[in-house]
Amino acid sequence: MSDAREDDVSGSTVRTGERTQGFWEEVRDAVSTRAALVMLGVLLLQLGFALSYMGAFHAPEPHRVPITLVAPPAVEGDLVARLDALPGDPLRVTAVQDRAEARARLLDRRTDAALVVDPASRTDTLIVASAGGPSATAAAAEILQEVARTENRTIVVRDIRPPAAGDSRGLSSFYIVLSWTIGGYLAASALNMAAGSRKPTLRRTLVRLAAMLPYGFVSGIGGAIIVGPVLDCLPGAFWELVGIGTLVVFASGAVGVALQSVAGTIGLGLTILIFTILGNPSSGGVYPSSLLPPFWSAIGQALPPGAGTTVVRNTVYFDGNATTGALWILGAWAFGGVVVAILAAAVRASRAARPAAPAAGPAAPAAGPAAPAV
């Protein structure tokens, strides 16, 4: 006889005598093994985010900042040697013949500053283009002004290419690329989640990759409108920014499709690791490579955020100079993502098409003729 009882009180039913779950059973129901592993992955990404950003930004130090020098032949060699020998190796000096050549190197993005020494006075000129990265030009100016003070000289800073009025700190290039890269891999993740996180077929993979093209184009237009007509951060070069945005978003999305096709949910974590945890602090958007620690300095321009930031900044402010290598990097990531995604889907399709092997075991004896009825 069961001790369960039902009482009807004001139209509600109360059941008594039923077994309730213990605390640890509730925990196991609420947090499955899969959920615990996902939480562990999120924790590792969180700690990696903190380590990467603070490791890159906590103590920026100039290292081999490229400087161009214009000085009389009588003092040129000695000055180059002294500046290159400063403690900590903060500068890398290249001497040129005249101010015009130094200015050309600055606008071609082959140098971060140009020091013009005037032998007829005690005041020299430091020519900079802070739109290429205010942090690097500020570091170079500080070092050179300190050297000048020890010789009772002064330095006047002349900025021939400052950032736009709406881009006073020169960070808009970095932030627009950040939005494009995050948008790209989140769009790829949305396509994956919409399919229930199933490993995509070859046809579905092609559809996802194709969908990233119009998404990237719309993202490029939206970003160009925001930094141009809306906020006046990066005026001019509207259609160039649209094209860059399309490429950046497609590269990010293609890599996202590829990694999630290969590794599922883990692939999203790997995409975040590449683009956000490693790519953003090393991109040169906040601090250029010459002010970053060696690891971040080495990887920055090989990853899409760094390459994208360089392309946007140099397109808007420097007539597209020194963008070829960065464009090749973005194209390589986009192409690599497409190839990996297609290959992963093709391999799965090939495996699924293989006939299942017959189960091993003794063959059943052949049935003999039926016995005659008696």
Side-chain angles (χ1 to χ4, degrees), residues 311-330:
V311 173
V312 170
R313 180 178 284 160
N314 289 0
T315 297
V316 172
Y317 289 119
F318 299 100
D319 302 319
N321 291 321
T323 59
T324 302
L327 286 170
W328 276 106
I329 292 293
L330 290 173

Side-chain angles (χ1 to χ4, degrees), residues 263-288:
T265 303
I266 295 174
L268 175 59
L270 293 175
T271 310
I272 294 173
L273 174 67
I274 293 170
F275 285 90
T276 301
I277 294 178
L278 295 177
N280 287 341
S282 65
S283 67
V286 178
Y287 292 116

Side-chain angles (χ1 to χ4, degrees), residues 27-41:
V27 170
R28 283 195 294 271
D29 282 347
V31 184
S32 64
T33 301
R34 177 181 175 82
L37 290 175
V38 171
M39 290 178 68
L40 175 60

